[in-house]
């Protein structure tokens, strides 16, 4: 997290589990030198990302703190022990139940997310969000419903709107699809909940600077073998949204070897015999054009426990506080383990 490092931050989706990202951000931004060059997020991670990247009139961590203050549901009116269920009945700064029950047979979603749009409008600098030159670079993803493909919305292309953030978090059947340019989108986590590869592609290589990507994982990859049907369901959900990039990273490790070879060839003089061979010269030019670079250092900040039951919709005050504390603690451990 120093000035000679190009940095990326990747944030998974997971509803109320995003409070873990609040804790992680508290620890990362405790270091005043921490200033990611690229921030990417999916669903609640996209909300975290935009608040850190484009806060309105306040520091990034302050905008994120305010968001979680607003969406925390105290549930004071519910009996003890059931406050974690309060958000099922709505979260007035995030989503509220639909009221058009007469047409319920034709529903394709359960909650109205206009409160979230209003909350983000109060916390996000929409002018900076629309500016392609604004830093840090912001990347969010959503799933094109009819094409069945992931779409990445990159602030460096044409800037972004709040609709791009809403699209990334349009998780069915709870929330409605979000239309952008005539295309309907659902939550990006349905397709890929960890946009690490997309960040690697956009993290500009530099010969004299290190590249580091911090990945905040809300769903652990590893867990014990399920013993009950409830365990099976829990494991299934966690695997659906867990970080799937381990295989990709193994493949990318091979790219390191290609990148090293390309660097070695580039260091040869132009009249080296290697380049006198037409086939070798052509192959070299083709590979060079692909821009192979070494894989950045990856720092994983992962929740150790699987989410079960209504964990993704538990916005109760105690749970939010506990998850934020866990995120801070696990980030501290991850940074120490990585020597940062």
């Amino acid at each position: 997290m120093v000035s000679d490092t190009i940095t990326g931050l990747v944030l998974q989706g997971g509803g109320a589990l995003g409070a873990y990202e609040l804790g992680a951000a508290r620890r990362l931004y405790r270091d005043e030198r921490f200033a990611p060059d690229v921030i990417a997020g999916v669903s609640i991670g996209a909300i975290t990302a935009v608040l850190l990247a484009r806060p309105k009139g306040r520091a990034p961590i302050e905008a994120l703190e305010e968001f979680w203050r607003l969406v925390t549901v105290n549930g004071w009116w519910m009996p003890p022990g059931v406050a974690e269920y309060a958000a099922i009945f709505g979260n007035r700064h995030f989503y509220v139940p639909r009221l058009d029950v007469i047409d319920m047979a034709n529903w394709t979603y359960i909650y109205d997310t206009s409160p979230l749009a209003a909350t983000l409008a109060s916390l996000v600098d929409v002018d900076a969000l629309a500016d392609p030159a604004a830093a840090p670079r912001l990347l969010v993803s959503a799933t094109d419903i009819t094409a069945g493909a992931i779409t990445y919305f990159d602030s460096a292309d044409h800037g972004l709107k709040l609709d791009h953030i809403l699209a990334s978090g349009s998780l069915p059947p709870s929330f409605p699809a979000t239309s952008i340019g005539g295309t309907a989108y659902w939550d990006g986590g349905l397709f890929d909940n960890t946009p690490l590869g997309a960040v690697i592609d956009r993290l500009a290589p530099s010969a004299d600077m290190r590249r580091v990507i911090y990945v905040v994982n809300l769903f652990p990859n590893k867990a014990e073998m399920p013993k009950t049907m409830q365990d099976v369901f829990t494991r299934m959900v966690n695997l659906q949204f867990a970080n799937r990039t381990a295989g990709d990273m193994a493949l990318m490790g091979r790219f390191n070897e290609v990148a090293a070879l390309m660097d070695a060839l580039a260091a040869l003089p132009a009249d080296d015999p290697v380049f006198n061979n037409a086939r070798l010269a052509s192959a070299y030019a083709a590979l060079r054009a692909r821009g192979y670079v070494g894989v950045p250092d990856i720092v994983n900040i992962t929740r150790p426990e699987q989410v079960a039951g209504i964990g993704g919709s538990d916005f109760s005050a105690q749970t939010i506080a506990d998850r934020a504390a866990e995120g801070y603690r696990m980030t501290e451990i991850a940074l120490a383990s990585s020597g940062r």
Side-chain angles (χ1 to χ4, degrees):
M1 292 189 290
V2 293
S3 58
D4 62 348
T5 302
I6 300 174
T7 305
L9 177 61
V10 177
L11 302 154
Q12 280 192 339
L17 298 175
Y20 182 90
E21 295 173 344
L22 168 62
R26 284 173 175 165
R27 176 58 187 88
L28 291 171
Y29 281 83
R30 192 184 78 182
D31 186 337
E32 295 181 354
R33 298 169 299 173
F34 184 74
D37 298 279
V38 180
I39 303 180
V42 181
S43 198
I44 194 67
I47 292 174
T48 302
V50 74
L51 292 171
L52 293 176
R54 304 289 187 269
K56 179 193 291 185
R58 62 186 85 196
I61 196 64
E62 292 174 352
L64 188 58
E65 295 273 9
E66 179 63 9
F67 172 81
W68 282 101
R69 185 190 71 79
L70 290 171
V71 302
T72 296
V73 179
N74 292 316
W76 57 267
W77 46 273
M78 302 189 75
V82 294
E84 61 268 27
Y85 294 91
I88 293 176
F89 301 98
N91 185 326
R92 65 192 184 94
H93 292 290
F94 202 138
Y95 55 87
V96 292
R98 293 182 65 176
L99 300 177
D100 53 331
V101 294
I102 295 177
D103 193 39
M104 187 178 293
N106 295 315
W107 280 12
T108 56
Y109 62 93
I110 301 169
Y111 298 101
D112 172 11
T113 54
S114 57
L116 174 59
T119 297
L120 291 179
S122 71
L123 297 173
V124 174
D125 185 337
V126 294
D127 291 332
L129 184 61
D131 182 1
R137 189 171 184 171
L138 179 62
L139 183 71
V140 300
S141 64
T143 300
D144 184 327
I145 299 173
T146 57
I150 195 73
T151 299
Y152 293 104
F153 299 112
D154 189 335
S155 67
D157 291 339
H158 307 288
L160 300 177
K161 298 180 180 179
L162 290 180
D163 279 350
H164 294 104
I165 311 304
L166 295 173
S168 185
S170 295
L171 181 66
S174 294
F175 302 149
T178 299
S179 181
I180 300 175
T183 300
Y185 294 96
W186 274 339
D187 193 299
L190 295 173
F191 206 91
D192 181 5
N193 204 34
T194 317
L196 176 57
V199 173
I200 291 176
D201 289 342
R202 290 163 173 79
L203 208 61
S206 174
D208 57 352
M209 299 184 76
R210 295 184 63 192
R211 296 185 302 151
V212 180
I213 300 178
Y214 300 85
V215 184
V216 183
N217 299 299
L218 303 182
F219 298 87
N221 286 76
K222 296 182 179 180
E224 294 182 356
M225 185 68 185
K227 297 180 176 62
T228 67
M229 188 59 73
Q230 181 59 48
D231 291 345
V232 169
F233 180 76
T234 295
R235 187 65 181 137
M236 179 186 70
V237 171
N238 280 265
L239 286 174
Q240 180 181 359
F241 294 106
N243 190 330
R244 304 175 188 176
T245 57
D248 292 339
M249 291 306 298
L251 176 60
M252 291 177 185
R254 301 178 187 176
F255 293 167
N256 281 342
E257 299 173 359
V258 178
L261 173 61
M262 298 306 293
D263 288 341
L265 290 173
L268 295 175
D271 59 352
D272 189 278
V274 168
F275 300 113
N276 291 331
N277 183 300
R279 290 182 60 188
L280 287 177
S282 176
Y284 169 77
L287 284 176
R288 198 70 183 173
R290 289 184 177 273
Y292 283 106
V293 295
V295 179
D297 294 334
I298 308 296
V299 178
N300 281 297
I301 304 167
T302 306
R303 289 185 65 250
E305 301 296 330
Q306 294 189 107
V307 58
I310 63 163
S313 57
D314 181 0
F315 286 88
S316 63
Q318 189 58 58
T319 298
I320 295 304
D322 289 346
R323 286 176 180 158
E326 181 184 41
Y328 189 100
R329 183 176 67 255
M330 296 306 296
T331 303
E332 188 83 41
I333 292 172
L335 292 177
S337 298
S338 63
R340 292 176 174 78

